[in-house]
């Protein structure tokens, strides 16, 4: 803590930001490293607030969940490979497909994108960290604990078993008496908190933390995608958290929200769930589409075609995404007017999606594509997106949907869109950014192999599902009779799913080997245009030694594009080093606005997450006193966190009656 | 925007200062998501009310006097919070502290009266659909008021410790915004639970 200066002009409250440069190895650069480094060992591990550390944790954790969900799927495919098999009991099968859905949708699909965005946002935006680094740590810890919470009862054979959509009355107190659904309900409320604080962090980061000159029309599309998804989360997540909370009240406290005998309505569950659930579909694909929009141009050697159109289509998709939830409920007997309206909006949503698809195709068409592994994944993604989108248009047509509802056709559609639009860009994104994450290149030959095995396995596995659905095979059945005509398609699907799994294993082996033996990566191995490639691989703890000045959308390609806007300056810029500092800019034009003080590493987020999670465990086990204690402990962690600090200039300088005890 | 890339020559404020501090944006995002939460609660209320065949509420039309007084109490606490922030700006920390304490007391009064209302209801959370909705919605709101009261108390302590003055008081602005939000939400809750039955 510095001594406060009393006489104005008070340099502790305002100053002209220093301008300079700090090349690698200079005294200033070494000092910055010391400032931003986390302490070594377990203390640093628990208390770090570095977005890069947190982003990688998100990625690794969500990949572990991906593997768990994948194993669950493979077990189901073994069961369904032939008719009348009895590897699994019906109850086991129910828990498997439910946990598979929960894992893939909630514990893999969004967190993996949060991992990318967390790692890349400050690097892409030219900042030294996210807007709220401590909140960032909190969102990770909560995600981890919520994941453990959701899985807590599964090994005991008491996992959630009413499908990830969890319809009442099947999930209500009458038909589901065990702890299965309570674990799911409380775990989802906990996970919702993590998602919400993460979303708040992204939104505020975008508004405040861009490098000077990076006006809103110069940010990468990944940023647009995550921003749109985060805004959607603010409005969608409360719906599902509330639905699960009301369900928990129904189950444990005798309320009547979904209880038809006392005036409750099971349809209320479906409304609340899908008001969240459909926007969520776009939440877990828009950032992935952003990955493609940013990385694909690198391999086409030209900027993305129709930047503004793609950015706007991102937002249009989300806006429309809030108005289509009824298409999950076409078969529930709603009035025809409502159904036709929502059928129409569901068809309309293909328009912004098509804008993005044509932008990617045009980028490939007008560019000079370099067929490296990431490009293959992105190009494959475009194809799968089109197939999944077309089956989506089919199911948006009400009469067809009435026929296809609850058949494997819908399963095929959702796996084409979710794997096609989430998994393929994610794996491509890992290949693309791995050098930045780890400082080494991934093996190209094995990369191509992994793509082709994944691509073939995926189509072999999931395309026949369309056929099974058209042949009338219902979803969520644990086995089927041999004379239904579904034997061959199911066998092909099961074979395909194992081929796909082999592709995932090749990919993981490639990561494991490349971590140790990959070729050392230069700063910008792909010759990419965006700002994250302007720092060493892997980036130093402070990201940018000087906050750069940005003049165009492609700061690293200005020498070859007609940059009418001027030249960015990446060597000389704001050199903020009076403690952990970064620059805050205005929301739209990115004019320097404020020198931001960034928090030091702290345990507060970890403890807040721990106590909150224990409080939820207390609710689950009905230990009221324990729950109360944990709530109080969580509250105290929050007070310690919020206590105004001299170091962050949250207090008036010169007041030092209270020591800096609130270090969390 | 093709501005020349020059660096700033003016002094910039340091830390969470100014009208649009990081915390201000953050609490705005929090208010958006919390507002959505209450929106979904009231959606559930109206959705179930629109399809019910029962008396709504079961005890007949709600009496408005006590809840009306309580609404006035809560809204006036908002005025005191606003005054507390303004006094800080006008370099009157003592008055600011007094205003914060007054706001906290009014908020606590609201909670006390609301708990009395709960006590006077002839039914409970599990007695009927209306009871489930009434206690859940007002319970959610009461929880938000309780959190807000803790925040007001902390702000009062920090003002008393002399942490804030006319130059640095972002926390007061941010906490105040949350409190105003809790009050505004009450107007919606009040309209739905107490005034809406009169329309039927």
């Amino acid at each position: 803590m510095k001594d406060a200066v009393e006489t104005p002009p008070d340099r502790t409250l305002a100053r002209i930001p220093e301008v300079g440069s700090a090349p690698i190895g200079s005294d200033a650069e070494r000092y910055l490293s010391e400032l931003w480094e986390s302490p070594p060992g377990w203390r640093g591990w628990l208390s770090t607030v570095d977005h890069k550390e947190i982003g990688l944790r998100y990625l690794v954790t969500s990949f572990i969940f991906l593997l768990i969900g994948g194993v669950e799927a493979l077990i189901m495919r073994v069961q369904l490979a032939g008719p009348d098999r009895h590897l699994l009991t019906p109850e086991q099968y129910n828990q498997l497909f439910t946990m598979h859905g929960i894992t893939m949708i909630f514990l893999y699909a969004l967190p993996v994108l949060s991992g990318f965005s967390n790692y890349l946002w400050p690097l892409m935006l030219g900042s030294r960290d996210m807007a709220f680094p401590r909140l960032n740590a909190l969102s990770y810890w909560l995600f981890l604990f919520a994941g453990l919470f959701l899985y807590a009862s599964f090994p005991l054979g008491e996992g959630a078993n009413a499908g990830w959509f969890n319809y009442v009355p099947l999930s209500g107190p009458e038909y589901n008496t065990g702890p299965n659904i309570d674990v799911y309900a409380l775990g989802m409320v906990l996970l919702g908190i993590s998602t919400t604080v993460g979303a708040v962090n992204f939104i505020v980061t975008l508004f405040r933390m861009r490098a000077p000159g990076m006006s809103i029309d110069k940010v990468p599309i990944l940023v647009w995608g995550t921003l749109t998804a985060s805004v959607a989360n603010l409005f969608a997540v409360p719906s599902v958290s509330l639905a699960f909370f009301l369900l928990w009240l129904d189950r444990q406290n005798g309320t009547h929200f979904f209880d038809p005998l006392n005036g409750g309505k099971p349809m209320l569950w479906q409304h609340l769930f899908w008001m969240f659930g459909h926007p969520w579909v776009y939440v877990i694909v828009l950032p992935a589409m952003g990955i493609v929009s940013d990385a694909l141009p690198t391999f086409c050697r030209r900027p993305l075609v129709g930047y503004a159109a793609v950015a706007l289509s991102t937002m249009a998709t989300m806006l429309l995404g809030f108005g289509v939830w009824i298409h999950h409920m076409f078969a529930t007997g709603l009035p025809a007017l409502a159904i036709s309206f929502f059928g129409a909006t569901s068809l309309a949503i293909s328009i912004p999606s098509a804008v993005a698809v044509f932008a990617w195709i045009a980028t490939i068409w007008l560019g000079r594509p370099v067929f490296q592994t990431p490009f293959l994944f992105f190009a494959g993604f475009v194809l799968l997106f089109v197939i999944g989108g077309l089956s989506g248009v089919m199911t948006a047509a009400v009469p067809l949907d009435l026929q296809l509802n609850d058949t494997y056709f819908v399963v095929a559609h959702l796996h084409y869109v979710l794997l096609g639009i989430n998994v393929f860009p994610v794996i491509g994104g890992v290949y693309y950014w791995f050098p930045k994450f780890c400082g080494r290149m991934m093996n190209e030959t094995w990369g191509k192999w992994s793509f082709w095995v994944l691509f073939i396995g995926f189509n072999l596995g999931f395309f026949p599902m369309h056929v099974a659905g058209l042949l009338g095979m219902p979803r969520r059945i644990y086995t089927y009779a041999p004379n239904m005509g579904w034997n061959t398609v199911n066998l092909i699907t099961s074979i395909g799913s194992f081929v796909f799994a082999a592709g995932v294993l090749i990919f993981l082996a490639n990561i494991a080997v490349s971590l140790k033996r990959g070729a050392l990566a230069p700063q910008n191995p792909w010759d990419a245009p965006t700002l994250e490639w302007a720092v060493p691989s892997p980036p130093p703890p402070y990201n940018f030694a000087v906050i750069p000045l940005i003049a165009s959308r492609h700061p690293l390609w200005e020498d070859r594009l007609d940059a009418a806007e001027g030249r960015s300056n990446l060597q000389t810029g704001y050199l903020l080093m009076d403690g952990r500092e970064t620059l805050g800019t205005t929301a739209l034009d990115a004019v320097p606005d404020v020198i931001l003080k960034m928090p030091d590493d702290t345990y507060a987020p970890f403890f807040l997450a721990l106590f909150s999670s224990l409080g939820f465990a207390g609710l689950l086990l009905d230990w009221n006193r324990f729950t109360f204690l944990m709530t109080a402990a969580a509250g105290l962690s929050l007070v310690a966190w919020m206590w105004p600090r001299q170091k962050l200039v949250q207090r008036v300088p010169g007041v030092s009656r209270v020591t800096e005890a609130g270090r969390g | 925007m093709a501005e020349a890339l020059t660096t700033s020559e003016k002094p910039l404020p340091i830390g969470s200062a100014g009208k649009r501090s990081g915390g201000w944006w953050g609490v705005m995002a929090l208010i958006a998501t919390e507002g959505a939460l209450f929106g979904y609660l009231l959606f559930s209320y109206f959705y179930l009310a629109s399809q019910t065949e029962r008396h709504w509420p079961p005890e007949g039309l709600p009496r408005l006097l006590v809840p009306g007084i309580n609404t006035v109490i809560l809204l006036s606490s908002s005025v005191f919070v606003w005054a507390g922030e303004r006094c800080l700006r006008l370099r009157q920390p003592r008055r600011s502290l007094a205003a914060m304490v007054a706001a906290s007391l009014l908020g606590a009064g609201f909670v006390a009266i609301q708990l009395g209302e709960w006590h006077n209801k002839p039914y409970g959370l599990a007695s009927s659909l209306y009871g489930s909705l009434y206690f859940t919605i007002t319970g959610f709101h009461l929880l938000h008021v309780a959190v807000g009261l803790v925040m007001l108390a902390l702000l009062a302590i920090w003002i008393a410790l002399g942490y804030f003055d006319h130059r640095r008081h972002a926390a007061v602005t941010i906490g105040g915004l949350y409190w105003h939000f809790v009050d505004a939400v009450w107007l919606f809750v009040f309209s739905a639970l107490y005034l809406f039955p009169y329309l039927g």
Side-chain angles (χ1 to χ4, degrees), chain A residues 419-573:
Chain A
L419 273 100
I421 315 183
N422 183 295
V423 175
F424 275 75
V426 160
I427 294 181
V430 170
Y431 274 106
Y432 180 63
W433 279 297
F434 187 86
K436 190 51 63 187
F437 294 155
C438 309
R440 288 180 183 275
M441 304 297 290
M442 279 176 80
N443 183 303
E444 188 61 27
T445 316
W446 283 106
K448 288 207 169 73
W449 268 99
S450 71
F451 168 74
W452 286 111
V453 174
L454 280 168
F455 191 74
I456 291 165
F458 176 78
N459 286 298
L460 189 67
F462 289 100
F463 200 82
M465 277 190 181
H466 292 111
V467 181
L470 292 169
L471 293 171
M473 183 175 174
R475 299 168 75 172
R476 307 171 199 131
I477 49 170
Y478 87 107
T479 190
Y480 49 93
N483 54 357
M484 303 296 280
W486 304 333
N487 304 357
T488 319
V489 280
N490 273 295
L491 185 62
I492 297 173
T493 295
S494 290
I495 292 168
S497 65
F498 276 88
V499 176
F500 187 80
V504 174
L505 286 180
I506 296 172
F507 166 68
L508 291 173
N510 193 351
I511 287 187
V513 174
S514 303
L515 269 176
K516 291 264 188 313
R517 302 199 199 146
L520 285 176
Q523 190 164 298
N524 189 359
W526 311 109
D527 189 18
T530 38
L531 208 48
E532 76 271 26
W533 302 103
V535 296
S537 310
Y542 50 79
N543 290 358
F544 292 91
V546 296
I547 308 291
L549 305 169
I550 302 301
S552 76
R553 227 170 261 163
H554 306 286
L556 304 186
W557 278 1
E558 282 168 6
D559 49 357
R560 70 197 79 167
L561 299 169
D562 326 334
E565 296 156 284
R567 288 295 164 99
S568 303
N569 193 341
L570 308 179
Q571 271 64 46
T572 318

Side-chain angles (χ1 to χ4, degrees), chain A residues 10-17 19 132 196 200 204 207-208 213 218 234-235 238-239 242 245-246 249 253-257 261-265 267-268 271-272 275 549-551 567-568 574 583 587 589 592-595 597 639 642-644 648-652 655 657-658, chain B residues 1-3 5-17 20-23 25-30 32-34 36-37 40-41 43-44 47-48 51-54 125-129 132-133 136 140 150 154 157-158 160-171:
Chain A
D10 195 339
R11 264 190 51 87
T12 49
L13 286 183
R15 69 172 199 264
I16 298 175
V19 175
F132 304 122
T196 303
V200 168
V204 181
F207 281 132
R208 305 255 304 162
K218 294 193 188 79
L234 289 189
F235 296 102
S239 178
L242 179 67
F245 183 74
L246 297 183
L249 284 178
N253 297 291
T255 55
H256 305 291
F257 298 107
L261 293 175
N262 289 288
K265 294 282 176 216
M267 280 297 281
L268 176 65
H271 279 297
L272 285 177
M275 278 177 189
L549 305 169
I550 302 301
R567 288 295 164 99
S568 303
Y574 292 105
L583 195 71
D589 298 340
D593 187 32
V594 58
I595 295 171
K597 288 284 188 184
V639 172
M642 293 287 174
W643 203 269
L648 300 178
V649 204
Q650 290 164 326
R651 282 188 347 220
V652 181
V655 181
R657 269 176 291 168
V658 179
Chain B
M1 256 196 37
E3 79 287 356
L5 280 175
T6 51
T7 47
S8 175
E9 298 297 327
K10 333 190 283 279
L12 298 177
I14 300 173
S16 202
R20 302 275 179 272
S21 61
W25 285 106
V27 85
M28 277 306 190
L30 177 77
T33 189
E34 293 268 45
L37 174 70
Y40 289 118
L41 270 167
F43 164 82
S44 306
Y47 180 81
L48 293 168
Q51 306 197 27
T52 189
E53 284 130 29
R54 291 147 207 269
L125 179 73
S127 316
S128 67
L129 177 63
S132 302
L133 282 162
T136 304
F140 260 104
V150 173
L154 280 171
I157 291 169
W158 292 337
L161 287 172
Y163 283 3
F164 304 132
D165 68 357
H166 59 281
R167 296 167 302 176
R168 273 289 182 272
H169 53 264

Side-chain angles (χ1 to χ4, degrees), chain A residues 331-350:
Chain A
T332 51
L334 287 166
L337 179 66
I339 287 189
S340 33
F341 173 80
F342 280 92
T345 48
S346 307
L347 292 173
I349 216 161
S350 58

Side-chain angles (χ1 to χ4, degrees), chain A residues 204-224:
Chain A
V204 181
T205 300
L206 178 95
F207 281 132
R208 305 255 304 162
M209 314 293 283
R210 303 194 311 276
M214 188 183 278
S215 52
I216 202 93
D217 58 349
K218 294 193 188 79
V219 297
I221 300 280
L222 171 63
V223 176
W224 278 110

Side-chain angles (χ1 to χ4, degrees), chain A residues 385-404:
Chain A
F385 188 6
V386 170
I387 298 174
L390 289 175
S391 60
V393 172
M394 290 160 81
T395 45
V398 179
L400 197 56
D401 184 72
L402 290 175
Q403 188 61 38
L404 296 171

Side-chain angles (χ1 to χ4, degrees), chain A residues 107-419:
Chain A
L107 301 176
Y108 158 77
L110 181 72
V112 79
L113 298 174
S114 297
F116 275 111
S117 300
N118 248 318
Y119 194 100
L120 296 169
W121 265 49
L123 291 167
M124 285 179 160
L125 298 175
S127 168
R128 285 184 183 156
D129 209 319
M130 301 278 287
F132 304 122
R134 290 173 292 185
L135 205 61
N136 210 4
L138 174 71
S139 79
Y140 172 75
W141 291 118
L142 279 174
F143 155 60
L144 178 67
F145 294 150
L148 295 173
F149 192 102
L150 286 166
Y151 261 96
S153 62
F154 185 59
L156 310 172
E158 295 287 350
N161 56 358
W164 77 278
F165 43 85
N166 208 35
Y167 285 167
V168 288
L170 181 61
S171 59
E174 269 177 75
Y175 296 96
N176 216 319
T177 47
N180 319 50
I181 303 295
D182 296 320
V183 173
Y184 185 21
L186 293 170
M188 280 301 291
V189 177
L190 189 62
L191 188 62
I193 301 171
S194 159
T195 311
T196 303
V197 298
V200 168
N201 204 352
F202 282 125
I203 292 168
V204 181
T205 300
L206 178 95
F207 281 132
R208 305 255 304 162
M209 314 293 283
R210 303 194 311 276
M214 188 183 278
S215 52
I216 202 93
D217 58 349
K218 294 193 188 79
V219 297
I221 300 280
L222 171 63
V223 176
W224 278 110
T226 311
L227 173 76
T228 312
S230 300
V231 173
N233 276 337
L234 289 189
F235 296 102
V237 170
S239 178
V240 81
S241 300
L242 179 67
F244 275 105
F245 183 74
L246 297 183
L247 178 64
W248 180 76
L249 284 178
D250 261 18
R251 293 173 55 88
Q252 297 299 328
N253 297 291
T255 55
H256 305 291
F257 298 107
F258 307 120
D259 165 20
L261 293 175
N262 289 288
K265 294 282 176 216
M267 280 297 281
L268 176 65
W269 170 270
Q270 291 202 25
H271 279 297
L272 285 177
F273 187 86
W274 289 118
M275 278 177 189
F276 149 86
H278 202 88
W280 182 261
V281 170
Y282 297 106
V283 164
I284 58 185
V285 300
L286 287 173
M289 288 156 72
I291 288 176
V292 176
S293 299
D294 282 338
L296 187 69
T298 301
F299 296 94
C300 298
R301 320 305 310 142
R302 58 151 298 129
L304 179 74
V305 174
Y307 169 93
V310 174
L312 288 171
S313 81
T314 303
M315 290 193 287
T317 306
M318 201 70 241
L319 280 172
L320 285 169
F322 273 90
V324 296
W325 81 89
I326 299 268
H327 74 211
H328 298 269
M329 303 152 66
F330 278 164
T332 51
L334 287 166
L337 179 66
I339 287 189
S340 33
F341 173 80
F342 280 92
T345 48
S346 307
L347 292 173
I349 216 161
S350 58
I351 296 169
S353 312
V355 169
V357 169
F358 284 116
W360 295 318
I361 292 175
T363 305
I364 298 173
W365 191 282
L366 298 172
R368 294 192 306 279
V370 181
F371 284 77
Q372 283 171 299
T373 306
F375 176 80
L376 292 176
F377 276 98
F378 302 141
F381 144 87
V382 175
L383 185 69
L384 300 178
F385 188 6
V386 170
I387 298 174
L390 289 175
S391 60
V393 172
M394 290 160 81
T395 45
V398 179
L400 197 56
D401 184 72
L402 290 175
Q403 188 61 38
L404 296 171
N405 183 47
D406 268 347
T407 69
Y408 261 83
F409 189 91
V410 179
V411 181
H413 161 68
L414 75 92
H415 282 86
Y416 259 88
V417 285
L418 291 184
L419 273 100

